[in-house]
Amino acid sequence: MRDHTEDAAPGAGADPDPTGPDTGSGTGTGNDPDTDSRAFRELLRGLRVWPGELPSFDPERAPGDPLPLFRQWLREAAEAGVAEPHTMSLATADAAGDPSVRIVMLHDADERGWHFGTHRGSRKGRDLAARPRAALAFYWPAAGRQVRVRGTVAAAGPEESAADLHHRSTGALAAALVGRQSEVLGSMAELHRAADAAWERAEREPDAPVPSWTLYVLRAEEVEFFQGDHRRRHVRLTYRRAEGGWERELLWP
């Protein structure tokens, strides 16, 4: 997950290394490990973030509840052409406390919380059964914005979970019907056979049940909004749940 709270502004570029690796096939991998490592560092140092103008954000005008601001920012990201603005990083931890993070899609955000779905037997499903807490991160580079959310997670009931799945695309249903998420796969041919059969069933039976599919709702305890600034005067506004509402405070970037 990109964390622009510490180093988010464009950095200084670097001149190309004339002794860089002979990539040959164009893969960027040379025969000399030291040369390849140096070229990789030069690549990273030469990359830029936020090449265009960034929107302004006045935290004094932010609403008292984080949900309207989150919806506004996601809508603005979509209107700005950010690809897949509803994708987010989901971080969980297993019973031993070992963390995992992956990209998933947001299914909804309402007064109950932030919604996402998965199989109960997947790694994230097992993590949430052992430790029902999670963190989310959204990043919209065209606007220099990110939102971080953390809190407790609860599973919705079977009817709501089924309705969530069946309101999605045929491809989503086919993927759910394949199931076995996070299990060891014997071969790609095995996956192709299972996926073909699942697609056929999803098209033939759009309400096909998938008992393991579960909708989860993260009830936020803390929501942080980050607005980047080219001069590193980043704005960080944090909402913390308190009795009867939300408390807001600014953080040093």
Side-chain angles (χ1 to χ4, degrees):
M1 179 177 68
R2 302 178 180 88
D3 186 353
H4 289 299
T5 60
E6 295 182 358
D7 189 7
D15 294 331
D17 182 358
T19 64
D22 178 8
T23 59
S25 63
T27 61
T29 301
N31 294 326
D32 182 349
D34 291 338
T35 301
D36 189 54
S37 295
R38 184 168 63 253
F40 184 70
R41 288 192 295 271
E42 296 290 348
L43 169 66
L44 293 177
R45 292 165 183 165
L47 294 174
R48 297 293 186 269
V49 296
W50 309 336
E53 292 296 318
L54 298 177
S56 61
F57 173 50
D58 181 359
E60 298 297 325
R61 301 180 63 181
D65 187 305
L67 181 61
L69 183 57
F70 173 79
R71 287 176 168 174
Q72 174 189 338
W73 276 25
L74 193 147
R75 186 179 302 110
E76 290 175 354
E79 293 171 349
V82 175
E84 302 177 356
H86 61 316
T87 57
M88 60 189 184
S89 298
L90 166 65
T92 58
D94 63 16
D98 291 330
S100 291
V101 66
R102 74 288 287 166
I103 305 297
V104 300
M105 286 192 295
L106 178 70
H107 292 191
D108 198 1
D110 58 18
E111 290 71 17
R112 295 164 57 196
W114 278 251
H115 301 221
F116 59 93
T118 190
H119 292 279
R120 286 194 302 273
S122 67
R123 174 175 292 182
K124 50 189 172 292
R126 297 194 303 269
D127 284 358
L128 292 170
R131 290 175 178 258
R133 297 186 60 80
L136 310 174
F138 297 83
Y139 177 53
W140 302 308
R145 287 173 171 174
Q146 65 172 298
V147 178
R148 301 195 295 177
V149 187
R150 68 179 180 89
T152 58
V153 180
E159 291 186 3
E160 187 177 6
S161 295
D164 168 75
L165 177 60
H166 294 130
H167 276 97
R168 300 181 66 206
S169 67
T170 300
L173 175 58
L177 286 167
V178 171
R180 304 185 64 178
Q181 192 175 56
S182 302
E183 295 182 15
V184 175
L185 175 65
S187 69
M188 290 304 299
E190 183 180 356
L191 171 61
H192 292 170
R193 288 192 297 271
D196 289 345
W199 269 94
E200 291 178 6
R201 185 181 178 192
E203 291 171 341
R204 182 180 68 251
E205 192 180 344
D207 292 326
V210 185
S212 64
W213 182 262
T214 304
L215 178 69
Y216 292 91
V217 182
L218 186 152
R219 181 178 185 271
E221 296 173 352
E222 181 176 305
V223 184
E224 179 185 317
F225 294 83
F226 172 94
Q227 174 63 68
D229 177 83
H230 285 304
R231 293 181 61 82
R232 298 185 183 230
R233 300 165 301 187
H234 313 312
V235 179
R236 294 177 64 191
L237 175 65
T238 296
Y239 290 78
R240 289 190 174 88
R241 190 180 292 275
E243 186 173 352
W246 294 89
E247 295 178 349
R248 295 186 302 170
E249 59 188 5
L250 292 172
L251 301 179
W252 283 87

